[in-house]
């Protein structure tokens, strides 16, 4: 199979779909690998690194799209990339089709077989190709929040871990899933006084066990949240309802009950955000203030640490990429129902029922192909 990896063209996207190490694995199995020149630079991988692994370097995206059987990327294909897709080709990347009718129409028109990272499942009910980016964003959240707590950045001038004789900061994490657990790990490590809130008692029980008393768990309800934020130096929004808009957990009116200079970090901003006053920001201009509360709402947090994110994503995608290359997509998805769950378009048919429902387009289940 000829595997192609173009350079990402979405603004501020520094990740790349294939690492030199992953390219080497594919080459070992007898596949060909073609990488667009400069594709890895944002993540610290040079063309020479790919060449040393045995990959070919293409001068432009048109060559990669024009000659590859299997395209591996990070972000959903942008309009110019969609023009280059064709029937008989497989696209493996994040798609996020439900809120994106234009992209969906173009993928269907191209005839490409598109497999979405974010809907690939695992045997434990998780999303193994979304989880690594949730881990990254979760671990970053206390780090960026502690930066925002510094006076020069608008915060109330509180050191997360305190010092001997002075209390540490109160960090409230709403949501105890992948993001919230990763955030808790770092916040606890930085010495903060951490509370994790969730609506699942089994999940709180798990967190209580693994953190061995180093954080407080609290059942999440509207009144519990209202109370907790009054003494919070930092609140991390870490909720996900797969595919749906995030619920609003802190209202605009509630901001005035928080300490002046407290910080909100909204990791759910990609799904619309979980604080009423959240709006997407960028790495260039990450924070703004409403009623004295600093908001950090960067929509692509993992991009700040592209090198780590690229490797984490690549580790997770590699086994699926190799299965697609070794067996061909049809046998790969037929053998593995979890990979099949990612199948989104094929030869002009939409094969995702949730996307069909969101966009009012006729769809079939991937199981029916
Ligand atoms: C991202 O990491 O950019 C996703 O789309 C999940």
């Amino acid at each position: 199979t000829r595997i192609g990896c173009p350079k990402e063209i979405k603004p501020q996207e520094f990740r790349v779909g294939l690492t030199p190490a992953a390219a080497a694995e594919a080459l070992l199995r007898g596949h060909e690998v073609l990488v667009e020149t400069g594709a890895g630079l944002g993540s610290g991988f040079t063309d020479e690194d790919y060449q040393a692994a045995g990959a070919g370097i293409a001068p432009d995206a048109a060559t990669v799209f024009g000659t590859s059987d299997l395209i591996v990327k990070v972000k959903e294909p942008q309009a110019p990339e969609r023009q280059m897709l064709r029937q008989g080709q497989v696209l493996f990347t994040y798609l996020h089709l439900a809120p994106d009718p234009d992209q969906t129409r173009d993928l269907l028109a191209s005839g490409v077989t598109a497999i979405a990272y974010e809907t690939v499942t695992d045997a434990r009910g998780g999303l193994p190709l979304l989880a690594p980016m949730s881990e990254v964003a979760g671990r970053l959240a206390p780090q960026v929040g502690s930066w925002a707590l510094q006076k020069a950045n608008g915060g109330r001038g509180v050191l997360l871990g305190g010092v001997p004789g002075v209390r540490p900061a109160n960090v409230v994490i709403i949501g105890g899933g992948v993001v919230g657990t990763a955030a808790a790990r770092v916040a606890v490590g930085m010495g903060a006084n951490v509370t994790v809130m969730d609506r699942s008692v089994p999940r709180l029980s798990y967190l209580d066990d693994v953190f061995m008393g180093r954080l407080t768990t609290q059942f999440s309800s509207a009144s519990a949240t209202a109370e907790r934020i009054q003494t919070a130096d930092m609140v991390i929004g870490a909720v996900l309802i797969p595919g749906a808009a995030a619920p609003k957990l802190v209202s605009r009116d509630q901001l005035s009950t928080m300490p002046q200079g407290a910080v909100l970090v909204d990791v759910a901003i990609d799904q619309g955000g979980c604080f009423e006053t959240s709006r997407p920001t960028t790495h260039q201009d990450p924070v703004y203030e409403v009623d004295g509360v600093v908001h950090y709402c960067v929509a692509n947090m993992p991009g700040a640490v592209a090198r780590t994110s690229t490797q984490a994503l690549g580790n997770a995608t590699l086994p699926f990429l190799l299965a697609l290359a070794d067996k061909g997509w049809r046998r790969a998805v037929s053998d593995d129902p979890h990979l099949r769950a990612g199948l989104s378009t094929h030869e002009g048919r939409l094969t995702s029922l949730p996307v069909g429902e969101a966009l009012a387009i006729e769809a079939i289940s991937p199981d029916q192909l």
Side-chain angles (χ1 to χ4, degrees):
T1 299
R2 188 156 212 200
I3 301 171
C5 177
K7 184 174 164 71
E8 293 296 315
I9 60 170
K10 190 164 179 167
Q12 294 294 311
E13 183 51 70
F14 298 109
R15 290 172 291 179
V16 62
L18 194 70
T19 61
E25 295 275 334
L27 286 151
L28 269 176
R29 291 167 179 248
H31 303 297
E32 283 179 67
V33 176
L34 191 62
V35 178
E36 184 180 347
T37 182
L41 282 180
S43 298
F45 299 119
T46 63
D47 287 355
E48 291 69 36
D49 293 333
Y50 288 99
Q51 282 168 320
I57 300 297
D60 50 32
T63 307
V64 174
F65 281 92
T67 61
S68 303
D69 311 306
L70 170 56
I71 299 282
V72 60
K73 270 177 54 59
V74 179
K75 293 310 288 183
E76 67 280 358
Q78 307 298 294
E81 296 174 317
R82 295 181 328 236
Q83 309 275 304
M84 296 187 276
L85 296 168
R86 61 184 148 75
Q87 188 151 326
Q89 196 168 45
V90 176
L91 172 67
F92 191 40
T93 192
Y94 288 120
L95 292 176
H96 305 293
L97 289 178
D100 196 346
D102 291 348
Q103 188 202 164
T104 305
R105 195 190 48 229
D106 287 353
L107 292 186
L108 292 173
S110 74
V112 76
T113 301
I115 302 174
Y117 289 161
E118 72 274 12
T119 57
V120 172
T121 53
D122 67 22
R124 295 182 306 165
L127 302 169
L129 303 190
L130 189 57
M133 296 303 96
S134 303
E135 294 266 8
V136 170
R139 287 178 188 220
L140 269 176
Q143 187 172 314
V144 297
S146 64
W147 173 85
L149 268 175
Q150 294 174 28
K151 285 302 282 184
N153 304 318
R156 64 191 311 240
V158 170
L159 183 62
L160 219 59
V163 287
V166 182
R167 282 183 54 89
N170 292 328
V171 174
V172 176
I173 299 170
I174 309 178
V178 178
V179 169
T181 303
R185 226 184 129 101
V186 170
V188 165
M190 289 168 97
N193 179 34
V194 178
T195 302
V196 180
M197 308 183 71
D198 201 280
R199 297 181 80 88
S200 159
V201 175
R203 187 66 189 177
L204 293 176
S205 173
Y206 164 82
L207 291 168
D208 186 61
D209 268 353
V210 298
F211 283 94
M212 296 200 292
R214 292 180 67 198
L215 53 68
T216 303
T217 58
Q218 183 164 12
F219 188 77
S220 183
S221 65
S223 60
T225 306
E227 190 189 324
R228 279 287 168 175
I229 63 172
Q230 291 176 22
T231 51
D233 297 290
M234 185 192 306
V235 179
I236 296 173
V239 293
L240 171 72
I241 302 175
K248 303 292 181 219
L249 304 169
V250 176
S251 69
R252 184 185 181 114
D253 289 346
Q254 285 176 310
L255 295 184
S256 61
T257 70
M258 295 181 66
Q260 284 285 300
V263 170
L264 298 179
V265 179
D266 196 341
V267 185
I269 191 68
D270 257 343
Q271 290 89 235
C274 61
F275 308 123
E276 188 184 355
T277 42
S278 293
R279 58 172 170 79
T281 60
T282 63
H283 290 293
Q284 276 74 39
D285 193 9
V287 292
Y288 62 94
E289 194 189 302
V290 180
D291 292 348
V293 174
V294 181
H295 291 55
Y296 178 100
C297 306
V298 173
N300 60 331
M301 290 176 68
V305 289
R307 191 169 167 86
T308 300
S309 298
T310 286
Q311 293 177 86
L313 181 60
N315 293 343
T317 56
L318 182 63
F320 296 101
L321 180 73
L322 293 178
L324 288 167
D326 289 352
K327 302 178 176 181
W329 75 271
R330 194 173 276 280
R331 238 193 73 221
V333 305
S334 139
D335 287 356
D336 182 355
H338 297 297
L339 180 57
R340 188 156 75 236
L343 198 57
S344 300
T345 70
H346 173 65
E347 294 186 358
R349 296 169 90 179
L350 186 62
T351 57
S352 163
L353 295 174
V355 173
E357 195 168 314
L359 298 178
I361 300 176
E362 193 190 336
I364 57 170
S365 153
D367 300 337
Q368 292 172 268
L369 262 188

